[in-house]
Amino acid sequence: MKYSMTSTINAMRLKRLHKILKQVNHYSDAFSKLTDEALQAKTAEFKKAIQDGATLTALLPEAYAVLREASRRILGMYPKDVQVLGAIVLHEGNIAEMQTGEGKTLTATMPLYLNALTGKGAYLITTNDYLARRDYEEMKPLFEWLGLTIALGFVDIPDYEYLPGEKKTIYSHDIIYTTNGRLGFDYLIDNLADGKEGKFLPSLNFGIIDEADSIILDSAQTPLVISGAPRVQSNLFQIVKAFVETLEASVHFQMKKTKKEIWLTDEGIEAANAYFGVDNIYDKRYFDLVRNINLALRAHHLFESNFDYFVYNGEVVLIDRITGRMLPGTKLQAGLHQAIEAKENVELSRDMSVMATITFQNLFRQFNAFSGMSATSKLGEKEFFDLYSKIVVQIPTDKPIARKDYEDRVFKNAEEKNRAILQRVQTLYETKRPVLLITRTAEVAEYFSMMLFEMDIPNNLLIAQNVAKEAQMISEAGQLGAVTVATSMAGRGTDIKLDNAVKALGGLAVSISEHMENSRVDRQLRGRSGRQGDPGSSQIYISLEDYLVERWGKGNMLNNKKLQQVDGEALQNSRLFQKRVQNTVARAQRVSEEQSVIQREMANEYEKSISIQRELIYQERDRVLDLWDTGDLDLTQLARDVFRRDYRKEVLDSEAELVNYIYKNVSFQFKEDMSDLSLNQEQAVVTFLVQLFEKALHRQKSALNNPYFYSRFVQKAILKAIDSHWIQQVDHLQQLKSSVQNRQNGQRNAIFEYHRVALESFEVMSTEIKGHIIRNLCQSVTTFDKEGKLVVHFPN
Ligand code: ADP
Ligand code: MG
């Protein structure tokens, strides 16, 4: 019932798209007869029309028809009707679900072309450098033939150091192919520039995200982070660890494991007060202590060795939840990693402060418009809608899908299951039908590969190591007699073409050794076979020892125990037994999916404060960067505000204090006589200070002796003040997360508390920035380097 409802809605959406498609097709014949020159001239005509006020939507049918015809001539591929349908969805800023092999790369060229006509830039964003480069190279001749410029968004050399201005050149192209990570880091770096010449990123206009569910949903928990200086190592980790190990579950703390929530009860708080000899740990003074207790609680009870991390060579190495791969070099943020290290008694690594950070969700919000495509978007529709108000349109395949998705095969334990999988591969191998065996983890893939070699079955092993090599290997997985063993992410985005002989044998057989963390990934994997109407099959093997059941099926242990006691042989063939195991696995997968959704919601909730603040700060930076003639800025008024506030706050009513204040903030050469000044009169003191400020500023001005350098100086002084506080603020917010996370009533209140403190600290920061600007203006020393560039030495 529910399904037919959604398919009715989808049919309605498609009906509207078909009308536009008809308009595109309307041009086909005429355009096929145009000379190359006439077709190429269309680009300039469209640009002119846009200048004259034509909307992109009005131009869409003709522009798509031009691109189609150009693609036929240049690439030898004529975008199919279904691709045009997808391309319309992409222009409209929604998500197109198109099956694997349907040609999403070519589909994207239509909206990219259309949107690039404005000259404001169009981006194609994909998951890794290899795919970005591959698609860029393939589509480059098409765009260039049509008179647009195109670039790869990065220099594809490891640790490449960009020359000044090089990134700016890259980003000035009409069309850019890049990755979410590259773009995200560039966004953060761009907003650390201390002069207009250091900025390179244009405002983000239009973007298409390939593999959108993977980029937006699956990568959501790990925000991009630019690390700053190492943080002063807290000596609390060990002390707090000892304390936390004395606590008893349910008595001293409560937790909701699937929600990753844990908090101290009243007893727990009392125990903490007693243990650390304080009146109330929630007193502001103990911010750091509370934060460390939270970290330790989380480390001890919400992170499990061998599920979330391994201890390997004396180091805590994280495990990728989806692929089960180790993630060396990746660390949990803000002390959590160190708390786990303390728990495992390994040496604490250095905790780096966070200088700038953004989540992918918020990165894409920077675009005026963006859209997405993927083979498995539908299952994420609710989230796409909640996050960005985007709908998912399912585009029909060009040819009907001929792949058979068999029902799961059910086993009691891993051993029986693995044996059956190996048998199945052998049977297929004997007929020369190619088989792709997919596992969740690299270890299991290695195991199968080795077993197959022992059975004299040659095979290719792909365990997500070298993307380019994997792409090459997986593209050969459809050849006669090929046996390929791969982890779930290996070779994603690569097309598997079949030998003709293979089609007669039934196409590529995909065997999946267990259900993945979410059903989107399962579907993605099945889709490895059966591209463009090819024959093929897919089957998932399950057992009660699968990761999903172990991890998320714990609540059903009783049930499982009963199942475990069942004697294999007899029940292997019992429908009832099979149904039960299927249900257990399905339930575990559902818990896992819900859990990820909740985590993403939480991450988004926390992100709200920082993203509002980031926008404000970045806007302010841009305003300062744009300001060439600082005459617009009333620095005297700013100084007056600061002095007035400090007068009220800092008790400047003794001469000694006032002199000290002046040394610190205005002038370290201060020698004036103050005997006439009435220290108890705010107005008098403030006016006096303002005069000193103006003198100091005047000194700077005459030292620079050039209005251009003077305004650059003012600009740098302001930016420096903003940045040093903002960087501290980002790090503070990061730390604050772990400090609020165990106030008693669970996450809702924690988030409320987080936003409250975040706002408060933002206000404090804003005032502090003003004071810092005044100090920078008065107390910096300016010099010039060998090339005659201004260098400012700021006070501390
Ligand atoms: P997807 O990303 O949707 O899985 P790809 O973009 O990788 O698919 O395309 C799959 C294959 O189909 C590629 O080899 C591509 O060149 C080919 N292809 C795409 N569109 C067309 C078309 N209109 N005509 C012929 N071949 C096409
Ligand atoms: Mg693709």
Side-chain angles (χ1 to χ4, degrees):
M1 192 60 207
K2 193 170 163 226
Y3 183 73
S4 72
M5 188 65 170
T6 49
S7 57
T8 312
I9 293 173
N10 201 58
M12 280 161 52
R13 289 172 180 165
L14 285 173
K15 203 167 158 193
R16 191 180 64 79
L17 298 177
H18 269 283
K19 286 190 188 142
I20 307 174
L21 168 66
K22 220 168 134 187
Q23 297 171 28
V24 180
N25 281 333
H26 172 77
Y27 291 101
S28 306
D29 271 350
F31 285 4
S32 71
K33 296 190 185 93
L34 289 181
T35 62
D36 283 357
E37 290 71 27
L39 196 61
Q40 285 171 303
K42 288 281 180 187
T43 300
E45 285 171 31
F46 292 143
K47 283 186 177 171
K48 173 91 180 23
I50 291 167
Q51 271 167 12
D52 295 343
T55 66
L56 292 183
T57 307
L59 288 176
L60 183 148
E62 200 181 344
Y64 279 20
V66 165
L67 186 119
R68 257 177 141 182
E69 181 57 28
S71 169
R72 196 178 60 78
R73 295 184 195 182
I74 302 305
L75 303 178
M77 294 190 283
Y78 189 72
K80 297 174 179 137
D81 281 0
V82 287
Q83 289 175 305
V84 175
L85 293 176
I88 300 168
V89 173
L90 294 178
H91 171 67
E92 291 177 346
N94 285 313
I95 312 280
E97 175 171 286
M98 297 174 72
Q99 297 311 307
T100 312
E102 287 295 295
K104 288 186 280 295
T105 305
L106 188 60
T107 299
T109 59
M110 289 176 263
L112 286 174
Y113 173 65
L114 178 65
N115 283 273
L117 290 168
T118 60
K120 292 184 195 153
Y123 294 76
L124 190 289
I125 298 146
T126 185
T127 46
N128 63 50
D129 291 358
Y130 168 80
L131 290 173
R133 188 194 180 116
R134 182 196 71 182
D135 293 354
Y136 154 75
E137 281 172 354
E138 204 174 324
M139 298 304 146
K140 184 178 153 97
L142 172 62
F143 289 121
E144 290 188 339
W145 192 82
L146 281 167
L148 293 180
T149 60
I150 169 171
L152 188 61
F154 50 92
V155 175
D156 200 5
I157 297 172
D159 300 320
Y160 181 79
E161 296 227 2
Y162 290 84
L163 304 170
E166 194 171 6
K167 281 195 175 175
K168 195 164 182 155
T169 311
I170 291 178
Y171 281 106
S172 66
H173 287 76
D174 294 321
I175 293 166
I176 290 156
Y177 278 66
T178 189
T179 71
N180 50 328
R182 297 271 189 177
L183 185 67
F185 277 120
D186 277 350
Y187 176 75
L188 293 177
I189 292 167
D190 190 61
N191 280 296
L192 290 168
D194 77 339
K196 198 124 178 125
E197 71 285 349
K199 296 276 276 185
F200 54 84
L201 199 67
S203 81
L204 297 172
N205 183 44
F206 176 76
I208 298 174
I209 306 171
D210 195 5
E211 315 277 6
D213 53 336
S214 158
I215 292 183
I216 296 180
L217 304 180
D218 299 335
S219 324
Q221 273 103 324
T222 32
L224 287 174
V225 168
I226 293 185
S227 299
R231 202 174 271 137
V232 180
Q233 192 71 275
S234 161
N235 52 11
L236 284 170
F237 287 110
Q238 302 295 351
I239 304 166
V240 167
K241 167 195 150 116
F243 163 66
V244 163
E245 284 171 356
T246 66
L247 300 180
E248 248 177 88
S250 308
V251 180
H252 297 109
F253 62 89
Q254 298 275 357
M255 62 180 154
K256 289 186 191 153
K257 236 177 154 144
T258 53
K259 294 191 177 170
K260 290 242 182 236
E261 287 178 23
I262 186 161
W263 64 95
L264 289 177
T265 60
D266 285 341
E267 269 99 315
I269 295 168
E270 267 171 43
N273 289 340
Y275 193 95
F276 295 103
V278 303
D279 287 342
N280 174 15
I281 51 163
Y282 286 115
D283 192 299
K284 257 202 177 113
R285 280 180 290 173
Y286 308 121
F287 178 90
D288 231 26
L289 179 61
V290 170
R291 200 174 70 80
N292 270 275
I293 294 176
N294 292 334
L295 291 171
L297 281 171
R298 295 170 69 78
H300 277 76
H301 301 289
L302 302 179
F303 287 80
E304 279 179 60
S305 180
N306 293 331
F307 276 120
D308 300 292
Y309 61 88
F310 292 120
V311 179
Y312 185 76
N313 270 348
E315 270 180 56
V316 169
V317 184
L318 298 181
I319 301 174
D320 185 312
R321 295 166 316 114
I322 294 177
T323 60
R325 246 188 307 147
M326 292 214 273
L327 296 169
T330 309
K331 286 196 171 179
L332 293 163
Q333 285 296 314
L336 192 51
H337 208 87
Q338 285 70 19
I340 295 175
E341 287 167 341
K343 166 187 169 189
E344 295 295 340
N345 297 313
V346 301
E347 199 182 326
L348 301 196
S349 60
R350 278 199 139 178
D351 185 16
M352 303 305 258
S353 67
V354 175
M355 215 166 128
T357 162
I358 191 168
T359 60
F360 289 121
Q361 281 99 328
N362 277 302
L363 175 65
F364 298 123
R365 281 184 220 277
Q366 310 302 319
F367 279 94
N368 284 332
F370 76 88
S371 49
M373 52 189 191
S374 134
T376 47
S377 322
K378 197 67 192 174
L379 294 162
E381 176 160 34
K382 190 182 171 302
E383 274 189 280
F384 285 125
F385 193 79
D386 290 347
L387 272 173
Y388 305 112
S389 317
K390 293 195 181 307
I391 56 166
V392 175
V393 183
Q394 290 174 292
I395 307 295
T397 51
D398 181 47
K399 298 190 186 122
I401 298 179
R403 184 188 63 238
K404 289 198 195 93
D405 294 323
Y406 291 112
E407 213 184 304
D408 294 354
R409 284 193 67 187
V410 180
F411 299 88
K412 216 175 89 171
N413 56 43
E415 199 190 315
E416 287 174 23
K417 184 177 83 172
N418 292 348
R419 207 179 312 132
I421 291 174
L422 288 165
Q423 260 166 25
R424 171 75 178 152
V425 175
Q426 185 166 36
T427 314
L428 291 164
Y429 177 69
E430 279 162 6
T431 67
K432 294 214 153 183
R433 188 176 160 197
V435 42
L436 173 60
L437 172 56
I438 302 173
T439 66
R440 196 180 64 82
T441 68
E443 287 74 22
V444 177
E446 278 168 341
Y447 160 81
F448 279 121
S449 173
M450 192 188 70
M451 293 302 283
L452 288 167
F453 277 121
E454 281 184 11
M455 293 158 70
D456 280 328
I457 301 177
N459 62 83
N460 270 331
L461 175 65
L462 278 74
I463 46 179
Q465 277 151 342
N466 176 327
V467 196
K469 201 166 140 216
E470 267 175 26
Q472 163 72 23
M473 282 162 79
I474 206 146
S475 70
E476 291 163 4
Q479 291 175 1
L480 206 60
V483 175
T484 311
V485 185
T487 51
S488 64
M489 288 293 140
R492 188 170 180 180
T494 305
D495 207 27
I496 305 180
K497 294 201 170 81
L498 300 184
D499 281 357
N500 273 329
V502 167
K503 290 189 185 166
L505 291 170
L508 177 67
V510 171
S511 297
I512 303 168
S513 80
E514 62 187 294
H515 276 278
M516 302 292 148
E517 228 200 11
N518 68 51
S519 40
R520 269 186 294 111
V521 180
D522 286 349
R523 275 208 36 195
Q524 187 86 33
L525 299 179
R526 290 187 193 274
R528 289 277 184 202
S529 153
R531 65 182 274 288
Q532 300 181 359
D534 281 348
S537 66
S538 78
Q539 184 154 48
I540 304 181
Y541 291 73
I542 61 181
S543 92
L544 288 175
E545 289 176 2
D546 287 355
Y547 168 84
L548 269 183
V549 180
E550 297 262 311
R551 177 92 219 229
W552 301 111
K554 291 252 166 78
N556 311 308
M557 250 330 177
L558 206 69
N559 214 343
N560 294 349
K561 278 228 180 69
K562 254 194 255 157
L563 288 175
Q564 294 281 15
Q565 285 159 5
V566 165
D567 160 56
E569 271 312 290
L571 281 158
Q572 193 63 64
N573 303 317
S574 139
R575 274 312 277 170
L576 187 66
F577 165 78
Q578 302 202 350
K579 263 274 147 304
R580 279 199 177 161
V581 178
Q582 276 170 354
N583 286 342
T584 307
V585 174
R587 209 172 321 128
Q589 193 177 44
R590 226 162 28 241
V591 174
S592 157
E593 285 170 4
E594 282 163 9
Q595 148 72 12
S596 316
V597 173
I598 291 170
Q599 280 206 1
R600 284 196 286 272
E601 276 173 6
M602 286 304 155
N604 270 323
E605 277 300 320
Y606 279 110
E607 175 75 6
K608 276 180 190 155
S609 274
I610 192 165
S611 91
I612 292 170
Q613 297 187 9
R614 185 177 44 231
E615 305 256 307
L616 288 171
I617 290 289
Y618 285 2
Q619 269 169 29
E620 186 57 22
R621 287 188 102 263
D622 282 341
R623 205 173 67 86
V624 175
L625 283 170
D626 275 334
L627 174 137
W628 284 104
D629 178 11
T630 41
D632 286 354
L633 262 186
D634 195 344
L635 297 172
T636 302
Q637 184 57 42
L638 180 71
R640 189 170 294 124
D641 290 347
V642 169
F643 295 143
R644 196 173 291 143
R645 196 199 68 222
D646 287 350
Y647 181 87
R648 287 173 194 178
K649 203 180 68 182
E650 304 218 359
V651 218
L652 300 176
D653 45 11
S654 82
E655 188 169 324
E657 271 166 333
L658 185 58
V659 170
N660 191 27
Y661 179 83
I662 293 171
Y663 279 156
K664 268 218 246 81
N665 296 283
V666 192
S667 164
F668 30 65
Q669 298 159 333
F670 177 74
K671 288 199 265 322
E672 275 174 57
D673 175 26
M674 294 199 294
S675 49
D676 289 347
L677 190 63
S678 330
L679 289 174
N680 54 4
Q681 285 188 347
E682 177 182 311
Q683 191 59 35
V685 175
V686 169
T687 308
F688 176 73
L689 287 171
V690 167
Q691 280 164 1
L692 283 181
F693 167 76
E694 286 180 331
K695 267 190 225 161
L697 204 57
H698 188 76
R699 256 198 315 275
Q700 300 283 22
K701 208 173 192 164
S702 8
L704 287 163
N705 194 22
N706 172 324
Y708 166 78
F709 282 127
Y710 174 68
S711 31
R712 293 309 316 274
F713 161 68
V714 172
Q715 200 178 49
K716 280 175 188 279
I718 298 174
L719 287 177
K720 178 74 183 179
I722 295 177
D723 287 350
S724 47
H725 286 271
W726 172 239
I727 287 168
Q728 280 175 28
Q729 173 75 351
V730 168
D731 197 47
H732 172 69
L733 292 181
Q734 200 79 10
Q735 306 235 36
L736 183 62
K737 252 188 249 177
S738 32
S739 105
V740 298
Q741 260 163 5
N742 80 346
R743 307 289 159 98
Q744 290 187 40
N745 306 321
Q747 292 281 12
R748 285 291 149 204
N749 276 356
I751 284 172
F752 179 78
E753 178 69 6
Y754 175 81
H755 290 317
R756 192 184 64 74
V757 180
L759 178 64
E760 219 174 71
S761 58
F762 187 77
E763 281 162 1
V764 171
M765 175 186 72
S766 306
T767 16
E768 283 176 354
I769 287 177
K770 288 183 193 153
H772 203 142
I773 291 175
I774 298 304
R775 200 166 351 122
N776 281 351
L777 286 172
C778 294
Q779 304 214 315
S780 295
V781 177
T782 54
T783 53
F784 290 89
D785 69 8
K786 274 185 250 143
E787 285 139 32
K789 268 171 76 186
L790 174 66
V791 181
V792 183
H793 308 273
F794 295 103
N796 285 324

